[in-house]
DNA sequence: CAATATTATGAGCAATAGCTCAGCTCTTCG
DNA sequence: CGAAGAGCTGAGCTATTGCTCATAATATTG
């Protein structure tokens, strides 16, 4: 009843089932369109067309184009399920297995729609807020891995902070490229070697220090 | 004298010094603008403005916006100077030093303008031709590294193809992220650990195989 | 079955971008 | 000097895109 000039968030909440469905349709369509055309060429009209709704309806659910991609990103982050440290075997002699589990996690979390993911983080003009969200999750993940390294008896690297950062980055990013590119190398082989590399790094050895 | 309707390449060749200078000015301006605004928001008008020439002149040197970025990319690739295998010490016990040289190479080649480089390969709509050029250089680099691994007596990994691919990707991409991000970790530490990781991987060890 | 709230529609506005072209200025050279 | 061609100019055309709004359709409620 008061202030008659809001309209910051188009549509407060969907009240009917129909609305929920439409919202989902938009997101699904957007995922397809962005994935196929990229962010810039993935126009809102194209998204509406694919969702089989009018462009006007689309803008009742999202205040602008960026918000659509933001919703997709948040959804992806929320879905991302990494195995927790307490589900892992930390007894001596199990480092190789532990690392392999981490690598597999990364691959699983990127297998859904690698192309879309790439576009979300590489092409999209992420708002500061979104960037912060992504960053927060990244830092959390690094801290988690750092903690794991600290607990595992087989780990012999000294600079745990750098190691954790390096590992997360390496695993994440190699997975990215692996999924996005037309595989130049079989996934299993790549997975095995990537795990090997990380494992050997963590074991430390006499040649480097 | 014949066919009066070409005009595929605006401006065949600069005949006067002035023209060369203008061309350079455009490229320099474009590098700045793309680097600051990104590809989409780096408009041709902005580039012309920064180069202090008219928009019309710009289009006498480049047929379209993409061509400008293509020129920048080609230039970067051409400039990229990787140390050759025959400049490296391949005697036993030198693997750590060799790897460190490779890592340093990567960092050097990205230190000029990391932001621009990121935009060139991540945001730009590269033509198939350009993609091929990039790809060709990538493959060449991988082959080079594979060869190096095969020659070096300290290398104990068996799957050289996968190893080469993995190393190039890892080093390249870690460097990327390192330069682009507001450093969360000092460069030297990261460089050292990255080199350590690769070195230990190549040495192989008893824990993995 | 009204009356009201919610959801859907799509023509079209405003902004912006890539790019053209008719004509100008400057350089070159006999 | 002066003519011819190389190089430069920038208003503005064309196309596209994100997004609005007046209106209609559908759902809900009393």
């Amino acid at each position: 009843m008061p202030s008659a000039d809001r309209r910051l968030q188009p549509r407060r909440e969907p009240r009917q089932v129909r609305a929920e469905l439409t919202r989902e349709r938009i997101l699904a369509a957007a995922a397809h369109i962005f994935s196929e055309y990229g962010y810039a060429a993935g126009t809102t009209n194209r998204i509406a067309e694919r969702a089989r709704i009018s462009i006007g309806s689309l803008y009742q659910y999202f205040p602008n184009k960026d918000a659509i991609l933001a919703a997709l990103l948040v959804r992806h982050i929320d879905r991302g399920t990494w195995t927790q440290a307490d589900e892992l075997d930390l007894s001596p002699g199990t480092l190789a297995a532990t690392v392999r589990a981490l690598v597999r996690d990364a691959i699983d979390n990127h297998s859904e729609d690698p192309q879309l993911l790439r576009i979300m983080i590489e092409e999209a003009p992420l708002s500061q807020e979104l960037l912060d969200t992504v960053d927060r999750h990244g830092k959390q993940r690094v801290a988690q891995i750092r903690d794991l390294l600290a607990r595992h008896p087989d780990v012999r690297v000294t600079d745990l902070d750098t190691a954790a950062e390096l590992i997360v980055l390496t695993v994440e990013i190699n997975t990215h490229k692996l999924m996005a590119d037309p595989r130049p190398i079989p996934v299993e082989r790549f997975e095995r070697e990537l795990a090997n590399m990380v494992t050997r790094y963590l074991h430390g050895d006499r040649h480097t220090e």
Side-chain angles (χ1 to χ4, degrees), chain A:
Chain A
M1 300 96 215
S3 64
D5 69 322
R6 8 186 178 77
R7 186 81 347 185
L8 301 175
Q9 266 79 3
R11 178 108 323 154
R12 291 149 293 186
E13 291 154 66
R15 308 290 174 111
Q16 305 175 4
V17 227
R18 170 168 68 141
E20 293 282 8
L21 288 178
T22 305
R23 212 193 122 90
E24 279 312 306
R25 290 250 294 282
I26 294 171
L27 286 177
H32 269 104
I33 296 294
F34 284 145
S35 174
E36 185 172 344
Y37 293 87
Y39 185 73
T43 71
T44 50
N45 283 290
R46 255 200 263 262
I47 294 172
E49 187 184 22
R50 162 125 202 165
R52 292 163 157 279
I53 56 154
S54 81
I55 181 65
S57 289
L58 187 150
Y59 279 95
Q60 279 190 319
Y61 291 92
F62 300 93
N64 53 55
K65 184 178 170 179
D66 290 1
I68 303 176
L69 195 115
L72 284 175
L73 219 185
V74 169
R75 190 202 236 181
H76 171 82
I77 290 177
D78 287 347
R79 279 186 186 165
T81 91
W82 306 95
T83 53
Q84 301 299 311
D86 52 6
E87 302 171 17
L88 289 169
D89 186 1
L90 296 185
S91 51
T94 61
L95 187 56
T98 304
V99 170
R100 209 170 308 135
L102 294 180
V103 171
R104 196 148 305 168
D105 260 7
I107 293 182
D108 286 348
N109 273 312
H110 288 70
S111 55
E112 191 181 326
D113 193 339
Q115 191 57 34
L116 174 61
L117 193 61
R118 194 195 62 89
I119 285 162
M120 288 197 293
I121 50 188
E122 290 183 356
E123 284 188 18
L126 301 180
S127 69
Q128 195 52 50
E129 191 187 343
L130 255 286
L131 275 178
D132 288 347
T133 302
V134 172
D135 205 54
R136 202 159 352 103
H137 276 263
K139 279 198 188 345
Q140 199 174 311
R141 179 90 185 124
V142 170
Q144 198 176 294
I145 295 294
R146 205 213 97 100
D147 192 57
L148 187 148
L149 298 185
R151 291 170 187 283
H152 205 295
D154 294 348
V155 172
R156 298 222 196 88
V157 290
T158 49
D159 189 343
L160 290 184
D161 292 310
T162 310
E165 200 103 33
L166 179 65
I167 289 174
V168 170
L169 209 61
T170 300
V171 171
E172 194 116 308
I173 268 170
N174 268 306
T175 306
H176 249 182
K177 269 284 189 274
L178 177 65
M179 306 300 287
D181 282 7
R183 344 267 137 95
I185 292 253
V187 188
E188 323 85 50
R189 270 210 272 169
F190 205 83
E191 181 182 335
R192 185 194 61 204
E193 293 301 304
L194 177 55
N196 276 353
M197 180 167 73
V198 173
T199 304
R200 288 176 198 166
Y201 168 54
L202 293 176
H203 269 134
D205 74 12
R206 62 202 177 287
H207 300 97
T208 59
E209 208 39 57

